Amino acid sequence: METLRESLSEKSSSVEAQGNVVRALKASRAAKPEIDAAIELLNKLKLEKSAVEKQLQASIGNGLHNREAFRQNVVNTLERRLFYIPSFKIYGGVAGLFDYGPPGCAVKSNVLSFWRQHFILEENMLEVDCPCVTPEIVLKASGHVDKFTDLMVKDEKTGTCYRADHLLKDYCNEKLEKDLTISGEKAAELKDVLAVMEDFSTEQLGAKIKEYGITAPDTKNPLSDPYPFNLMFQTSIGPSGSSPGYMRPETAQGIFVNFKDLYYYNGRKLPFAAAQIGQAFRNEISPRQGLLRVREFTLAEIEHFVDPENKSHLKFSEVAKLEFLMFPREEQMSGQSAKKFCLGEAVAKGTVNNETLGYFIGRVYLFLVRLGIDKERLRFRQHLANEMAHYAADCWDAEIESSYGWIECVGIADRSAFDLCAHSEKSGVPLVAEEKLAEPKEVEKLVITPVKKELGLAFKGNQKNVVESLEAMNEDEAMQMKATLESKGEVEFYVCTLEKNVSIKKNMVSISQKKKKEHQRVFTPSVIEPSFGIGRIIYCFKTGDEQLNVFRFPPLVAPIKCTVFPLVQNQQFEEAAKVISKELASVGISHKIDITGTSIGKRYARTDELGVPLAITVDSDTSVTIRERDSKDQVRVSLEEAASVVSSVAEGKMTWQDVWASFPHHSSAAVDE
Amino acid sequence: METLRESLSEKSSSVEAQGNVVRALKASRAAKPEIDAAIELLNKLKLEKSAVEKQLQASIGNGLHNREAFRQNVVNTLERRLFYIPSFKIYGGVAGLFDYGPPGCAVKSNVLSFWRQHFILEENMLEVDCPCVTPEIVLKASGHVDKFTDLMVKDEKTGTCYRADHLLKDYCNEKLEKDLTISGEKAAELKDVLAVMEDFSTEQLGAKIKEYGITAPDTKNPLSDPYPFNLMFQTSIGPSGSSPGYMRPETAQGIFVNFKDLYYYNGRKLPFAAAQIGQAFRNEISPRQGLLRVREFTLAEIEHFVDPENKSHLKFSEVAKLEFLMFPREEQMSGQSAKKFCLGEAVAKGTVNNETLGYFIGRVYLFLVRLGIDKERLRFRQHLANEMAHYAADCWDAEIESSYGWIECVGIADRSAFDLCAHSEKSGVPLVAEEKLAEPKEVEKLVITPVKKELGLAFKGNQKNVVESLEAMNEDEAMQMKATLESKGEVEFYVCTLEKNVSIKKNMVSISQKKKKEHQRVFTPSVIEPSFGIGRIIYCFKTGDEQLNVFRFPPLVAPIKCTVFPLVQNQQFEEAAKVISKELASVGISHKIDITGTSIGKRYARTDELGVPLAITVDSDTSVTIRERDSKDQVRVSLEEAASVVSSVAEGKMTWQDVWASFPHHSSAAVDE
């Protein structure tokens, strides 16, 4: 096994190196044959790497079947207890749409409250709340209209749609798992396909589907060629039908388009962060993986705007000493696994690109741990070079291990100036920040002065259009025009707004470069973006005891903080229970009152399943017992104190250990069977 | 003026009476000429009523112009302080879409937290959270696909769309206000049109627009005939294009379709309430009235399910003694104004239909008053008979007076069993509740027994369809078939699923009514629905001082609870301010720290404009002053206590009066200029 690991590490390095070669060739616009050859070599290396990877995986074994059973068990409990309900169930449901039932809603609301507290309040962020309906131009600028697609194939007879890569993946996996007749060579080929298919072009994917004779899974009908399907829900704004719009696929764009107002609101100071919680929509082709890949979900996103020349963070020292599982690019490429790093060192060594990115990684870690995510099931994985968008400086995902494997729950990316530049360009509104320079700086500035009198004589009513076009030239265009005018005295010039060329003569415009003193630096800020999939985080709470169906929500996120029940059916006890219930409600503590006559043991089991951390049992008219779910320990407190003890624990002001140390213990092994 | 009022009261009663006549005729399916005549009389009476109404209004005068100026002033301040931002502003914005900026978000989040506390927690409601994307069948059942429309006209040349009733209204108002040449007769006619246009049919509205020669306001081009435009944003679910969907126009339907699961979750006990907070969407034809009529908004809705035969409420006594402004149908019809009623008496007298409806009216009143809505600007207006849906038992709107007049912010309706019946019917899933009867009851039950052997011989492969159709007959259909079979021996019978008639003979089915003992009553619950327009409530906070641009948010909803500033720029004071700021953040109190050197008076003014209720000024290294916005009073407290005093007031645990009574007063008239 160690040999395999070493071999994988070697192969991975070669892939990374060759990947860099390809990118360098593309960047330098090398000749096509040269690039193609380099890509061919890259694919070969990838095949080799993936072959080793698969061998290694097989030799480890992975217990997939246990996972599947556990997952099904969890989903059943979640649905039975109304954590989730398939949406519109009485009408047969809609794939990829789920409701949160009462306990799910309570958990979600607790998570969002804590998110607001931990990020918006404690970091003084500017919260905004923008509509889901978004006009096309915004998503054109962001690139979503053109690029937010998956490849799809259609059953040529019924029209049923499938994700092309899913079909190919399923075909390969099934062959490998169930068809014992295939040759070793064929098996190797299928494994190779699985390894490299992520990088397939539309044509390559289509060719493979044809080659393997893959048909529609439900009907065995032939399939169409793959083609891109845009994942946004489209709609139309207003009644005319002429303003296309989409349901936003993320909340971030609403922040970017408001940058200017927010920057002014913040007193024109950087850095600052804006945040938004809201619904996002993705019209998945055929949603699978139940609650993880859905068509509508809640995102919580932060856009932290920072000077690209200074990405230090004032509060970095507060997180620098944290140690937790990280999985840098290098460790992934060399086949190692995630290991514990000290965050401060990871930033100092350059493993994490900059302090601000590191600060947010630390804050996300603290957030997830405070929510009760197990530190051993949480890791921060760095994107490989080929996973990132070309403009991104660095990107880390907080992944939580669940029955589906490691799930990306939070992405933390340094997106550089990409988004603000894209919207500046499309809208014509500069989304920039200024910095007063300590000393004025001398710069060369382009000066274009159209001679209006001459232009008026030549172009009459069109003068204004020509003037505007001349003034809008960038430095390159203007210097080229200046050169042509000096050599030829005349130049053909395209005026957009007239949609034609006009002839510009030397006397119509003066172009020069003047030295100027600048007192401020104007620049487009970089954006560091932590983006939280709230539903995925909630799904990952379902840890607990794999056998017992018990949800181990920590008090902070538990949907119901406390159950209140009289030990036996008895008017006095019931009255006392109602008084406590009212006190709990008045301090905002969600709870359940259970006055059925069921045995106390059964009632404890019932609340354990819901993940209720505390239970108050009224067994006298002056005092009650409080029981903690995980330890099953009980203390005795007075009737008057009950609500305040529970609320202190629920809000994190007191731990159960504090309670255990302050109140007399109570033992009742007999009833808690 | 009193004569006018009396006259209006008379006219209103006649309209109400004649309205009842029309409804009765329609219900009894009277002959068309008879109905038409009654409607004609009704319209005549409405004209008379509206003429008197207008006279009265004119004689009162209404200060519309002051209102307009005030409104503009408020909107400017709201936008300047980023309470609201026109969405996608850098791209020119989209009518009817607004962002909440940082203070707007904070207020919204506070209002929603308090809503959850006041309704969901204190009333033990079941919260759900359903997707916005909704398949067509759900909204077909609810009636939205067919009936959720406004009448629209198009500019025949440019295609620009207008709401037909808005154009007619604007035409009439402008003629009346600006055209001094029109005759008294014409003026009366226009006033009549304004009064009755709400009840115009598509044809009547079109005819009036033609008659008055109304053209497109922007171009003066001719207009199309009016036609209904559905106000839902349409989209398509999944990639095939064959599953139409809509963005939900309200959140209620998500609750109704989950009734069965929620009823089981509640232990099959009535009454119970479910609640949902979320986005709703209405593709308004041409949104006007700025922030009040928008295309996307946050609703908070409650559906309280109750036995139609017992609408009493266990906790009614807790609200029965409340007294506030109510505006029952009778008072409206007789031209009186809203007056103070005792809620208990209003229910006892039958003014409010039932205790549960009354209970929610009381709870809504308490909610709005706790939020800081002025009692004198809040009234509960009952819907007139012709305003309500035909199935509604009673309906009251909580209206708040603003610069747009009285605005409906919360609707509280008894919708009877309409919604659950509609979804039961469409989905085939019975959405019903059961009640165990104390004593079994003898009932007659229809028994339909298809004779499968005979049917099989006669219909072969179609047997199953015929059997299902026979079994699906309701009581009327079955008893009619029984009679025909007994008299003629044979009957023609339409089988839906075959789309044709078949001939049923006497030996093919036996139909009878058998006596049966029933041990439980099965019924469709009634729904009481309080529905809150959160954005409208927030808009109505903008009360305060009409001159001063000061927002008088009570501490509970204030976006920023507190400002912290050092009296002068000084490292010691700044450090202390930062310590307090950190303490405030850790207990979740939103605040602003201001360490600019601006004069303290200017800093107070700045926070006053944002509606910040409290300000902490650090003027020593051991103690600070706390100032209250409205009274401008100041107390002195120790550095250590500052955060906890502010948090007690912000969370409503202490009033400013309590603080004033407990701490030494501080006077600093000199700086607070």
Side-chain angles (χ1 to χ4, degrees):
Chain A
M1 203 143 113
E2 281 321 294
T3 338
L4 275 174
R5 281 199 197 286
E6 271 172 42
S7 162
L8 182 61
S9 146
E10 237 177 75
K11 301 288 177 196
S12 298
S13 309
S14 320
V15 168
E16 167 101 327
Q18 185 63 16
N20 290 334
V21 169
V22 171
R23 269 184 297 280
L25 287 172
K26 281 183 177 170
S28 67
R29 309 200 175 197
K32 194 169 178 301
E34 200 179 347
I35 297 181
D36 286 350
I39 291 179
E40 203 175 336
L41 178 57
L42 175 62
N43 286 339
K44 189 172 154 276
L45 291 170
K46 278 187 181 169
L47 291 181
E48 291 174 10
K49 174 191 157 200
S50 103
V52 178
E53 212 166 49
K54 292 282 152 172
Q55 261 180 288
L56 183 63
Q57 214 162 69
S59 83
I60 294 170
N62 51 21
L64 266 180
H65 291 289
N66 284 340
R67 269 192 177 167
E68 180 54 42
F70 174 57
R71 184 155 68 217
Q72 202 47 54
N73 197 359
V74 168
V75 168
N76 289 347
T77 311
L78 287 170
E79 283 196 27
R80 189 162 43 83
R81 304 310 304 237
L82 294 203
F83 272 88
Y84 298 92
I85 311 164
S87 300
F88 317 112
K89 198 168 124 184
I90 61 171
Y91 291 102
V94 175
L97 294 180
F98 293 89
D99 301 342
Y100 288 87
C105 273
V107 171
K108 184 177 172 188
S109 155
N110 292 336
V111 169
L112 292 179
S113 288
F114 180 57
W115 195 88
R116 270 209 176 82
Q117 163 71 25
H118 186 80
F119 290 105
I120 298 184
L121 266 174
E122 288 184 20
E123 306 278 350
N124 258 305
M125 294 178 175
L126 307 182
E127 190 179 359
V128 299
D129 182 4
C130 310
C132 301
V133 173
T134 305
E136 184 170 54
I137 191 166
V138 173
L139 296 159
K140 194 94 189 167
S142 69
H144 286 93
V145 171
D146 295 321
K147 292 181 192 154
F148 194 62
T149 57
D150 273 344
L151 290 172
M152 173 164 97
V153 289
K154 264 194 183 175
D155 180 319
E156 288 200 335
K157 289 192 183 144
T158 66
T160 307
C161 304
Y162 303 94
R163 252 181 76 165
D165 57 345
H166 283 177
L167 293 192
L168 182 57
K169 197 169 163 186
D170 291 350
Y171 172 87
C172 295
N173 280 328
E174 211 176 299
K175 275 276 170 200
L176 286 169
E177 283 171 21
K178 299 191 183 155
D179 189 346
L180 299 174
T181 68
I182 56 170
S183 65
E185 208 178 323
K186 185 72 185 173
E189 181 193 317
L190 293 172
K191 284 181 190 168
D192 299 341
V193 169
L194 282 172
V196 300
M197 59 184 289
E198 214 174 284
D199 293 327
F200 273 178
S201 68
T202 313
E203 292 69 29
Q204 284 174 311
L205 194 57
K208 269 291 164 226
I209 288 174
K210 276 236 163 61
E211 182 189 333
Y212 291 162
I214 300 176
T215 54
D218 305 320
T219 62
K220 308 295 163 207
N221 289 334
L223 292 167
S224 73
D225 285 335
Y227 59 96
F229 171 74
N230 193 298
L231 297 179
M232 292 193 291
F233 283 98
Q234 193 172 2
T235 190
S236 186
I237 305 174
S240 70
S242 61
S243 304
Y246 299 90
M247 303 312 298
R248 62 179 177 196
E250 58 177 32
T251 69
Q253 303 306 323
I255 298 177
F256 297 136
V257 300
N258 279 323
F259 171 77
K260 201 177 153 187
D261 277 346
L262 294 171
Y263 177 60
Y264 273 72
Y265 186 83
N266 199 51
R268 300 211 235 177
K269 284 201 191 88
L270 281 191
F272 73 90
Q276 178 163 207
I277 298 171
Q279 295 301 92
F281 303 80
R282 295 186 186 175
N283 196 7
E284 299 286 348
I285 293 172
S286 47
R288 309 201 289 189
Q289 290 195 299
L291 296 158
L292 286 183
R293 189 158 297 275
V294 291
R295 284 176 164 155
E296 183 176 336
F297 47 96
T298 302
L299 280 183
E301 297 191 297
I302 295 166
E303 309 298 330
H304 179 92
F305 299 101
V306 60
D307 185 338
E309 292 178 9
N310 176 11
K311 293 183 180 175
S312 65
H313 196 290
L314 268 179
K315 300 198 322 195
F316 183 70
S317 62
E318 293 178 16
V319 298
K321 293 212 175 66
L322 290 175
E323 278 186 28
F324 48 82
L325 284 178
M326 294 181 82
F327 201 10
R329 203 170 291 152
E330 195 138 330
E331 274 66 16
Q332 297 170 59
M333 298 301 293
S334 59
Q336 301 174 54
S337 51
K339 56 186 180 210
K340 285 215 165 121
F341 282 82
C342 163
L343 184 56
E345 284 169 28
V347 170
K349 278 189 198 153
T351 310
V352 172
N353 185 281
N354 59 72
E355 258 192 14
T356 298
L357 191 65
Y359 180 70
F360 279 108
I361 290 176
R363 290 291 292 169
V364 169
Y365 170 78
L366 290 173
F367 174 74
L368 293 172
V369 168
R370 283 278 317 267
L371 281 184
I373 298 293
D374 179 356
K375 290 173 196 180
E376 301 305 317
R377 291 170 54 237
L378 170 63
R379 72 179 186 193
F380 286 79
R381 190 182 71 80
Q382 189 174 31
H383 280 204
L384 298 178
N386 64 340
E387 276 181 277
M388 290 198 299
H390 63 89
Y391 47 78
D394 193 4
C395 186
W396 293 76
D397 285 343
E399 297 183 329
I400 303 174
E401 198 180 19
S402 88
S403 53
Y404 283 105
W406 289 94
I407 294 173
E408 174 206 339
C409 291
V410 186
I412 308 147
D414 181 336
R415 301 174 53 82
S416 75
F418 176 76
D419 309 280
L420 292 182
C421 285
H423 285 295
S424 286
E425 201 172 298
K426 193 84 177 176
S427 67
V429 175
L431 302 178
V432 293
E434 302 115 31
E435 184 201 19
K436 246 193 200 146
L437 293 175
E439 273 177 45
K441 213 169 85 181
E442 194 153 88
V443 289
E444 294 231 308
K445 271 273 177 180
L446 177 72
V447 182
I448 301 173
T449 317
V451 183
K452 292 193 181 163
K453 195 184 139 202
E454 299 295 333
L455 291 163
L457 286 171
F459 303 114
K460 311 240 157 52
N462 290 338
Q463 182 210 11
K464 194 163 157 272
N465 306 57
V466 178
V467 167
E468 283 172 1
S469 280
L470 286 171
E471 287 173 343
M473 283 189 293
N474 65 27
E475 191 153 337
D476 277 3
E477 291 163 345
M479 294 320 289
Q480 218 170 331
M481 176 178 277
K482 184 182 167 76
T484 316
L485 286 176
E486 272 162 17
S487 62
K488 302 191 182 156
E490 189 169 347
V491 65
E492 285 291 285
F493 177 61
Y494 184 75
V495 180
C496 289
T497 51
L498 297 175
E499 294 186 340
K500 63 173 186 187
N501 277 332
V502 299
S503 174
I504 300 290
K505 302 217 170 58
K506 211 177 163 182
N507 62 351
M508 294 178 184
V509 60
S510 100
I511 296 169
S512 60
Q513 277 189 312
K514 284 192 185 143
K515 292 213 167 145
K516 231 183 116 174
K517 278 203 173 170
E518 268 192 355
H519 297 267
Q520 57 180 10
R521 180 171 76 95
V522 176
F523 61 95
T524 305
S526 276
V527 168
I528 314 277
E529 177 189 85
S531 171
F532 298 70
I534 298 298
R536 289 187 163 196
I537 295 173
I538 294 174
Y539 179 79
C540 290
F541 285 139
K542 53 148 197 46
T543 125
D545 214 312
E546 309 215 355
Q547 269 68 48
L548 280 176
N549 266 348
V550 169
F551 289 89
R552 297 211 183 282
F553 295 113
L556 188 67
V557 291
I560 299 169
K561 312 290 189 196
C562 173
T563 335
V564 184
F565 29 61
L567 183 62
V568 291
Q569 275 183 314
N570 155 331
Q571 209 194 332
Q572 228 173 359
F573 292 0
E574 282 180 19
E575 284 306 317
K578 279 179 190 163
V579 168
I580 293 173
S581 163
K582 207 163 174 178
E583 279 170 21
L584 287 171
S586 79
V587 291
I589 298 300
S590 61
H591 63 284
K592 241 189 147 132
I593 178 163
D594 183 346
I595 51 171
T596 58
T598 325
S599 86
I600 197 81
K602 274 195 190 148
R603 284 187 279 177
Y604 282 150
R606 207 145 67 187
T607 66
D608 284 353
E609 195 189 42
L610 269 173
V612 180
L614 300 167
I616 298 177
T617 305
V618 182
D619 57 358
S620 106
D621 49 4
T622 54
S623 75
V624 302
T625 67
I626 303 182
R627 170 187 181 267
E628 197 268 338
R629 177 195 60 209
D630 298 337
S631 63
K632 299 199 168 66
D633 286 336
Q634 294 180 58
V635 295
R636 179 164 296 284
V637 306
S638 72
L639 210 61
E640 293 71 34
E641 284 172 300
S644 86
V645 170
V646 166
S647 98
S648 297
V649 176
E651 289 171 355
K653 291 181 192 146
M654 226 179 174
T655 65
W656 177 252
Q657 283 69 40
D658 300 334
V659 176
W660 187 245
S662 326
F663 294 92
H665 303 176
H666 173 80
S667 104
S668 64
V671 294
D672 192 13
E673 77 276 25
Chain B
M1 202 143 113
E2 280 320 294
T3 338
L4 275 173
R5 282 199 196 284
E6 270 171 43
S7 162
L8 182 61
S9 145
E10 238 176 75
K11 301 288 177 196
S12 298
S13 309
S14 321
V15 169
E16 167 102 326
Q18 185 63 17
N20 289 334
V21 169
V22 170
R23 270 184 297 280
L25 286 172
K26 282 182 176 172
S28 66
R29 309 198 176 199
K32 193 169 177 302
E34 202 178 345
I35 296 180
D36 287 352
I39 290 179
E40 202 175 336
L41 179 55
L42 175 62
N43 286 340
K44 189 172 152 276
L45 290 171
K46 279 186 181 169
L47 291 182
E48 291 174 9
K49 175 192 158 200
S50 102
V52 179
E53 212 165 49
K54 293 280 153 173
Q55 260 181 288
L56 184 61
Q57 215 163 66
S59 83
I60 293 169
N62 52 21
L64 267 180
H65 291 289
N66 284 340
R67 270 191 178 169
E68 180 54 44
F70 174 56
R71 185 155 69 216
Q72 203 45 55
N73 197 1
V74 168
V75 167
N76 288 348
T77 310
L78 287 170
E79 283 195 28
R80 189 162 42 83
R81 305 308 306 236
L82 294 202
F83 272 87
Y84 298 93
I85 311 164
S87 300
F88 316 112
K89 198 167 123 183
I90 61 170
Y91 291 102
V94 175
L97 293 180
F98 293 88
D99 301 342
Y100 288 87
C105 271
V107 171
K108 184 178 172 188
S109 156
N110 291 337
V111 169
L112 291 178
S113 287
F114 180 57
W115 195 88
R116 269 208 177 83
Q117 164 70 25
H118 186 81
F119 291 106
I120 298 183
L121 266 174
E122 288 184 20
E123 307 278 349
N124 257 305
M125 294 177 175
L126 307 182
E127 190 178 359
V128 299
D129 182 4
C130 309
C132 301
V133 174
T134 306
E136 183 170 56
I137 191 166
V138 173
L139 296 160
K140 194 93 189 167
S142 68
H144 286 93
V145 172
D146 295 322
K147 291 182 193 153
F148 193 62
T149 56
D150 274 342
L151 290 172
M152 173 164 96
V153 289
K154 265 194 182 175
D155 180 320
E156 288 199 335
K157 289 190 183 147
T158 66
T160 308
C161 304
Y162 303 94
R163 251 182 77 166
D165 57 345
H166 282 177
L167 293 192
L168 182 56
K169 199 168 161 188
D170 291 349
Y171 173 86
C172 294
N173 280 328
E174 209 175 302
K175 274 277 168 198
L176 286 169
E177 283 171 21
K178 300 192 183 154
D179 188 346
L180 298 174
T181 67
I182 56 171
S183 66
E185 207 177 323
K186 186 71 183 173
E189 181 193 318
L190 293 173
K191 285 181 188 168
D192 299 342
V193 169
L194 283 172
V196 300
M197 58 183 289
E198 214 174 283
D199 293 328
F200 273 178
S201 68
T202 313
E203 292 69 28
Q204 285 172 311
L205 194 56
K208 269 291 163 225
I209 288 174
K210 276 236 163 59
E211 183 190 333
Y212 291 162
I214 300 176
T215 54
D218 305 320
T219 61
K220 307 296 162 207
N221 289 335
L223 293 166
S224 74
D225 284 335
Y227 59 96
F229 172 74
N230 194 296
L231 297 180
M232 292 192 292
F233 282 98
Q234 193 172 2
T235 189
S236 187
I237 305 175
S240 71
S242 62
S243 303
Y246 299 90
M247 304 310 298
R248 63 180 176 194
E250 58 178 32
T251 69
Q253 303 305 323
I255 298 178
F256 298 137
V257 300
N258 279 323
F259 171 77
K260 200 176 154 187
D261 277 346
L262 294 171
Y263 178 59
Y264 273 71
Y265 186 84
N266 199 52
R268 300 212 238 178
K269 283 201 191 88
L270 282 191
F272 74 89
Q276 177 164 206
I277 298 171
Q279 294 301 90
F281 303 81
R282 295 186 185 176
N283 196 8
E284 300 285 348
I285 294 172
S286 47
R288 309 203 287 189
Q289 290 194 299
L291 296 157
L292 287 183
R293 189 159 297 275
V294 290
R295 284 176 165 155
E296 183 176 336
F297 47 96
T298 301
L299 278 182
E301 296 192 296
I302 296 166
E303 309 298 329
H304 179 93
F305 299 101
V306 60
D307 186 339
E309 292 177 10
N310 176 12
K311 293 184 180 172
S312 64
H313 196 289
L314 269 178
K315 300 196 325 196
F316 183 71
S317 61
E318 293 178 15
V319 298
K321 291 211 175 68
L322 290 176
E323 278 185 29
F324 48 82
L325 283 179
M326 294 181 81
F327 200 12
R329 203 170 290 150
E330 195 138 328
E331 275 66 16
Q332 295 170 61
M333 298 301 292
S334 59
Q336 300 174 56
S337 50
K339 56 185 179 212
K340 285 216 164 122
F341 282 83
C342 163
L343 184 55
E345 283 170 29
V347 170
K349 278 190 198 153
T351 310
V352 172
N353 185 283
N354 58 71
E355 257 190 13
T356 298
L357 192 64
Y359 179 71
F360 279 108
I361 290 175
R363 290 291 291 170
V364 169
Y365 170 78
L366 290 173
F367 173 75
L368 293 172
V369 168
R370 283 280 313 270
L371 281 186
I373 298 293
D374 179 357
K375 289 172 196 181
E376 302 306 316
R377 290 170 53 238
L378 170 63
R379 72 181 186 193
F380 286 79
R381 190 182 72 79
Q382 188 174 32
H383 280 202
L384 298 179
N386 64 341
E387 276 181 277
M388 289 198 301
H390 63 89
Y391 47 78
D394 194 5
C395 187
W396 292 76
D397 286 343
E399 297 184 328
I400 303 173
E401 199 180 18
S402 88
S403 53
Y404 283 105
W406 288 94
I407 294 173
E408 174 206 340
C409 290
V410 187
I412 308 148
D414 182 335
R415 299 174 55 82
S416 76
F418 176 78
D419 308 280
L420 292 182
C421 286
H423 286 295
S424 287
E425 201 172 296
K426 192 85 179 175
S427 67
V429 175
L431 302 177
V432 293
E434 302 114 32
E435 183 200 21
K436 247 193 198 145
L437 293 174
E439 273 178 44
K441 214 170 85 182
E442 195 153 88
V443 289
E444 295 231 307
K445 271 276 177 177
L446 178 73
V447 182
I448 301 173
T449 318
V451 182
K452 292 193 181 162
K453 195 183 138 203
E454 299 295 333
L455 290 164
L457 286 171
F459 303 113
K460 311 240 157 51
N462 291 338
Q463 182 210 11
K464 194 165 157 269
N465 306 57
V466 178
V467 167
E468 283 173 1
S469 281
L470 286 170
E471 286 174 344
M473 283 189 293
N474 66 27
E475 192 153 335
D476 276 3
E477 290 163 345
M479 295 320 289
Q480 218 172 331
M481 176 178 278
K482 183 183 167 77
T484 315
L485 285 176
E486 272 162 17
S487 62
K488 301 190 183 158
E490 191 170 348
V491 67
E492 286 290 287
F493 177 62
Y494 185 76
V495 180
C496 290
T497 51
L498 297 175
E499 295 188 339
K500 64 173 185 185
N501 276 333
V502 300
S503 173
I504 300 290
K505 302 219 169 58
K506 209 176 165 182
N507 61 352
M508 294 178 184
V509 62
S510 101
I511 297 168
S512 60
Q513 278 189 311
K514 285 195 183 141
K515 293 212 166 145
K516 231 183 116 176
K517 279 204 172 168
E518 270 192 353
H519 298 267
Q520 57 180 11
R521 179 171 76 94
V522 176
F523 61 94
T524 305
S526 276
V527 168
I528 314 276
E529 177 189 87
S531 172
F532 299 69
I534 298 298
R536 288 186 165 197
I537 295 173
I538 293 175
Y539 180 79
C540 290
F541 285 138
K542 51 146 199 49
T543 122
D545 214 312
E546 311 215 353
Q547 267 69 47
L548 281 175
N549 266 346
V550 170
F551 289 88
R552 298 211 181 281
F553 295 113
L556 188 66
V557 293
I560 299 169
K561 312 289 189 196
C562 173
T563 334
V564 185
F565 28 63
L567 182 63
V568 291
Q569 275 183 316
N570 155 332
Q571 209 193 334
Q572 227 174 1
F573 291 0
E574 282 180 21
E575 283 307 317
K578 279 179 190 164
V579 168
I580 294 174
S581 163
K582 206 162 175 179
E583 279 171 22
L584 288 171
S586 79
V587 290
I589 299 300
S590 61
H591 63 283
K592 240 188 148 130
I593 177 163
D594 183 347
I595 51 171
T596 59
T598 325
S599 86
I600 197 80
K602 272 194 191 150
R603 285 187 279 178
Y604 282 149
R606 206 144 69 185
T607 67
D608 285 352
E609 195 189 42
L610 269 174
V612 180
L614 299 168
I616 297 177
T617 304
V618 182
D619 57 358
S620 106
D621 50 4
T622 55
S623 75
V624 302
T625 67
I626 303 182
R627 170 188 181 265
E628 197 268 339
R629 177 194 61 209
D630 297 337
S631 63
K632 299 198 167 67
D633 285 337
Q634 294 180 58
V635 296
R636 179 165 295 285
V637 306
S638 73
L639 210 60
E640 294 71 34
E641 284 172 300
S644 85
V645 169
V646 166
S647 99
S648 299
V649 175
E651 288 171 356
K653 290 180 192 147
M654 225 179 174
T655 64
W656 177 252
Q657 282 70 41
D658 300 335
V659 176
W660 188 243
S662 325
F663 293 93
H665 302 177
H666 173 80
S667 105
S668 64
V671 294
D672 194 13
E673 80 276 25

